[in-house]
Amino acid sequence: MIAVLDYGIGNLRSAEKALVHLGADACLVTDPEVVAGAQGVVVPGVGAFGPCADALHRSGMREAALDAVDRGVPFLGICIGFQLLYEGSEEAPGVKGLGILDGTVRALPPGVKSPQMQWNQLSRVGSSESVLLAGLGEQPWVYFVHSYAPEMTDAVVATCDYGGPVVAAAERGRVCGTQFHPEKSGAAGLAALSNFVSFVDACANGAPTRASTGDPDRPSNA
């Protein structure tokens, strides 16, 4: 079962529907105890970093998410859910993210229209194989709606060009994240989600597989 965390921020069903469309046993989950039995976890997110971080904490899903990462459960953050994987955001100074990935979420480059609300092409970063982007081609088109994005780190596997390179996807250990919305990105987005479902299945069946850049330890600020 893939648990799509429902932490009260609205509009989470599109990610669940996309996963079910692909044949995954996915469902919205409001009970942190149910997350403990999941073979995969997805954290969508819309809106702003601060309210989403607060909702994740108040719902009890923050600890459930960290526990899932501790147990090596494949984990996918989408849009604000991706940003929550980081230590914090310029959008909400002083508000802690999950700290699973190093770095801070930054505003889009000066001089561009914010939010970026459009289709854009991905450019691969690094030479490591990517779990999410396998088979998608070198520059697939995907859909973005955001005003902030994580800073460049060694976990980044793809960027888009929007006033300069903007982080679009990252992977570390069994943790993956996309700044774009795969559930709104047509065939390329569904292919990325299908790759995640296959990754969940492989991990659940004991295959020695992982994402691109090592295994994350639980952060000291969790």
Side-chain angles (χ1 to χ4, degrees):
M1 187 267 287
I2 297 177
V4 181
L5 302 194
D6 183 351
Y7 53 106
I9 53 89
N11 195 29
L12 303 174
R13 193 164 294 279
S14 58
E16 179 213 17
K17 285 183 175 180
L19 290 164
V20 171
H21 173 75
L22 292 168
D25 177 16
C27 61
L28 289 177
V29 172
T30 58
D31 184 350
E33 293 187 5
V34 176
V35 182
Q39 283 73 51
V41 174
V42 176
V43 182
V46 295
F49 185 95
C52 285
D54 180 62
L56 195 70
H57 176 73
R58 286 188 290 102
S59 67
M61 290 299 186
R62 175 186 171 88
E63 194 64 27
L66 290 169
D67 286 344
V69 173
D70 277 350
R71 291 184 285 107
V73 173
F75 196 102
L76 173 62
I78 297 173
C79 196
I80 302 295
F82 174 41
Q83 296 178 13
L84 290 173
L85 297 176
Y86 289 82
E87 296 167 274
S89 174
E90 290 181 342
E91 186 179 22
V95 177
K96 286 185 178 181
L98 292 169
I100 295 165
L101 298 179
D102 295 333
T104 300
V105 177
R106 308 286 185 187
L108 291 175
V112 299
K113 184 178 180 180
S114 184
Q116 174 181 204
M117 190 180 300
Q118 63 172 12
W119 291 81
N120 206 336
Q121 283 183 287
L122 299 181
S123 295
R124 301 292 186 94
V125 174
S127 57
S128 299
E129 292 184 4
S130 165
V131 167
L132 295 178
L133 306 181
L136 270 66
E138 286 304 309
Q139 291 189 302
W141 288 89
V142 294
Y143 190 72
F144 292 85
V145 183
H146 66 118
S147 298
Y148 294 80
E151 60 190 345
M152 286 291 298
T153 68
D154 60 5
V156 174
V157 296
T159 62
C160 67
D161 182 8
Y162 196 67
V166 171
V167 170
E171 298 176 4
R172 183 175 178 223
R174 292 184 175 183
V175 176
C176 309
T178 65
Q179 186 57 67
F180 63 91
H181 284 271
E183 76 281 9
K184 298 179 181 178
S185 295
L190 287 177
L193 288 176
S194 180
N195 285 340
F196 179 72
V197 173
S198 295
F199 185 57
V200 171
D201 288 343
C203 292
N205 290 322
T209 183
R210 61 181 179 83
S212 304
T213 55
D215 294 314
D217 296 321
R218 184 161 186 159
S220 60
N221 69 343

